[in-house]
Amino acid sequence: MKKIIKLLTASVVTAALFVGSIVTVSANDIKNPKIADVSEWQGNINWSLAKDDLNMAIIRAQYGTNYKDKYLDRNQKEAIKHDVPFGTYAYARYINAADAKTEARALYNRTSKSAKFYVIDVEEFTVTSGTIRAATNAFVKELRSLTNKKIGLYVGHHTYTQFNLDTTKFDFVWIPAYRSWKPDYNHDMWQYTDGGQVKGINGGVDLNKLSNTKKPLSYYVGKTEANDQAHQY
C-alpha cells in the first residue's frame, strides 16, 4: 500500500519521545471503519474521491452464473488503483447443489486476485431440487477448493431462520437490518442502511459496521492493509 500519511501531532511526538520509541497506529485503532458494498446500481463511481471516504469495499461480481455485474471489472480495477481493499460477492441464483458449484467457480474466475475475500449473498429461495442449505454448502465447499481466502455469508434478517443455512461453514456472517439496533442473530458484519453517503458515489449506498470485536478490519483485509488504512486518520 502506498497511502501512508503521517499524523504525528505535537502531543503524539511528545509521548513517543517519553517512551523512547515511535508511536505506530495498529489496525484495531479504526474502531468504526467505513465499509460500503457496491454494484452496477451505483453507476460510475469516482474512486479517486471514494478512496478518501472508505476503509473497505465489497463489490458485486455477479447475479447468478450468467450475469456478470456491468461495473465489476471497472470497480475492481479502480479499487486496486486507489488502494481501497475489497472483497467480492455473488448474488445466489442456484437451483441445486451442482448449479451452486458452477456459480462458485464463476465467482472465483471473475474476481481479481487482489480481492481479500469472497461472499455468497443468499436472499432468494431459488432452489428447485434438494435444499437451499445443501446447495449453499456445495457452493462454499467448491469455492474453498479454489482458494484459501476467507468466505462470508450474507443472509437476510427476515429469512435467517427460514433458510436455516449452516453458518459454521463460513468465516464470517453478514446480515442486513436497517434500524438503530443490531440484528437478532449471531453475525460479524451488519448492513445497517441502504441510504449511506460516500464521496464519489451518487445517491444512497449500503453501509456496514463490523460487529465482532474479534474480527476487526485486519481480519478481512490483512494487517498491512488495515494498518495503512489506519494511518489515513
Side-chain angles (χ1 to χ4, degrees), residues 165-185:
L165 301 178
D166 187 356
T167 59
T168 66
K169 301 293 185 183
F170 296 87
D171 298 300
F172 60 93
V173 177
W174 177 19
I175 298 179
Y178 302 154
R179 61 194 195 188
S180 59
W181 63 100
K182 294 181 179 181
D184 299 331
Y185 309 102

Side-chain angles (χ1 to χ4, degrees), residues 37-50:
D37 55 281
V38 300
S39 70
E40 65 186 47
W41 297 108
Q42 276 66 56
N44 196 16
I45 297 172
N46 186 338
W47 285 90
S48 65
L49 296 178

